[in-house]
Amino acid sequence: MSTTNNKGSNPTSRQPLPSLTGSEGNSELTECQSAPYDRSRTPLLRTGQVGGGSSSSRQPLPSLHGRGWGWVFLWSHRRQNGWIFAEIILITVLSFFFIDQIAVSTYDKYFCRPAGDFEREHLLVAQTGQTPSPLPLKGEDVHLPEAKNDSQQNTSLSPSEGERGGGLSSLYALRDRIRALPEVQYAGLTNYIVGQGSYHISSYASEGDSTRRCGAYMQYYPLHEQFIEALGLTPVEGSPSARVLSEECPEGGVVITRSLAQAIFDTDQVVGRRMVEWDFSDRALQEHGEPVIVNRYTIAGVVEDFRLQENDRYAYSILCPMIEEYATPMMLIRLHPEVDAQAFLNQLTSPASQALRKVGDRILVSVHTYKDWQQKMSGNREYTLTNTLLGILLALFLLNVVLGTLGTFWLQLRKRTEDIGIMRSFGAKRRDIFWMIWSEAALLTLLACIVGQLIWFQFAINMDLSPGLSLSGTGRERNWVEIFWLHYLVICVIQYLLMLAVVTLAILVPTWRAAHLRPVDALRHE
């Protein structure tokens, strides 16, 4: 009687297992043990097909080591990434103006420092004045310090001083008293301070070569008052010393900066050469039909570049010497490098030193450090207050941007925790997961920044970009700030790097937490 195994009649019946003791079973076992593991024989690991139900219910995971998977992830999560894309575009448009201002201002203040700029920490500016009841020079009950030497005292006085009468004798005696103080290195009277007072901007060129014209600032300085020495300007090699430039200068002679000499003559060894000043005004063009030469100058000396303002880029500058008539001038005081400027200032302005600050009818009304005086004269205190308020508003704006971007990416990555768990269960490394998500975010940020920057480009054409902290747009050295396209591209790169840093910070924590979950916990994440 034949026995037939009916599966339908006995649902619990199973086919017998093959024997492992026979020769056939042993050969199969030996083959399985000796054969290496081949990942290609497991389709699930290649395609990433997970989840139950239909195979079309979930999208396959691309290989983390393949090419072009960043675009695949962007497209596969296009709805989620659409909100992030729009948010980054909005942030790019709104922040471009502020980033432009901050980048150019930082460049001006910290990266445009000429090597020979004068030292400001030991430079004081004093304002002189007249008292209504003059005190006699002789018979004052004060101690007059000894003058340093007769030659220094005599050469520092103006040749026309005796012709001016005795009304200014107290003023020069006060100057000599300050010079004689042991803490003082140089001191001199002046009506002009670099960056303040009377100056004008014009166009200059080498005589006989009008093809190399450039704008420059011209400012006057007094002869015989140790001005170059007190200010701390450094003559270049081959130029007369600071003492010579302070005391004497040929008629029609000027002192120019190194950058101006390089721009006009293509060298800084230009002492004795001639340059001309051109007039490009509308009046000159109407009268003569072309620009005209209005002045000719002889180069008496060349000094290192210096900044007109503390936060300014250095400019092409010309110092024109003259013998001044004083009323109530200022006094430049240069201290020795080892002297504590603030301690000397406190001592000089103390009530105990009132007699020291007064000679006859002349008195030092106020004494400031060069930096404080310049801020006071240029209104930089109000400017600093305005900048502080703008800085606070900008900081709040950036904080809002960071928190908003952080929250957006946090929520989006929490929705992808299950996907991260699947990749971890298939052996993906944590760093591979992070680089995958970071590359996707970097690509998304790049595309959004390009769109936002193209939108702002329309405003930049009409409004122009930030010119920086400068007195004027004329007479500046031409660098990336002055070249529109280069300026625009530099700010675009800076903005993208800042946005990328914010995005990296936003994805760092949620990605790290999701990648460190156990795969089984990540798969159960809702």
Side-chain angles (χ1 to χ4, degrees), residues 433-454:
I433 294 175
F434 173 78
W435 285 116
M436 178 196 70
I437 296 177
W438 181 85
S439 300
E440 178 185 343
L443 182 59
L444 183 67
T445 303
L446 176 62
L447 296 176
C449 282
I450 290 176
V451 175
Q453 288 162 357
L454 289 177

Side-chain angles (χ1 to χ4, degrees), residues 246-262:
S246 295
E247 296 297 326
E248 58 188 45
C249 188
E251 184 178 357
V254 292
V255 179
I256 65 175
T257 56
R258 180 197 289 269
S259 60
L260 179 59
Q262 292 281 359

Side-chain angles (χ1 to χ4, degrees), residues 206-227:
S206 170
E207 188 175 44
D209 183 9
S210 59
T211 60
R212 301 178 64 126
R213 292 194 300 263
C214 65
Y217 295 89
M218 174 175 283
Q219 190 161 7
Y220 298 101
Y221 77 94
L223 283 175
H224 317 294
E225 288 296 334
Q226 299 183 348
F227 181 86

Side-chain angles (χ1 to χ4, degrees), residues 397-408:
F397 172 76
L398 293 178
L399 180 62
N400 185 38
V401 168
V402 172
L403 294 179
T405 307
L406 180 65
T408 302

Side-chain angles (χ1 to χ4, degrees), residues 235-241 244-245 250 254-256 261 265 267-274 297-303:
V236 302
E237 185 178 357
S239 176
S241 65
V244 172
L245 295 177
V254 292
V255 179
I256 65 175
F265 301 99
T267 178
D268 56 11
Q269 302 300 310
V270 296
V271 175
R273 298 182 66 172
R274 302 272 291 175
Y297 303 98
T298 300
I299 310 300
V302 181
V303 296

Side-chain angles (χ1 to χ4, degrees), residues 47-60:
T47 62
Q49 192 71 39
V50 295
S54 172
S55 61
S56 61
S57 60
R58 290 181 180 270
Q59 296 182 359

Side-chain angles (χ1 to χ4, degrees), residues 19-58:
S19 175
L20 299 179
T21 59
S23 59
E24 183 180 355
N26 287 336
S27 63
E28 292 180 359
L29 180 61
T30 303
E31 181 182 356
C32 292
Q33 290 176 344
S34 60
Y37 175 70
D38 186 3
R39 293 177 64 94
S40 64
R41 299 172 65 181
T42 307
L44 182 62
L45 295 180
R46 287 175 59 84
T47 62
Q49 192 71 39
V50 295
S54 172
S55 61
S56 61
S57 60
R58 290 181 180 270

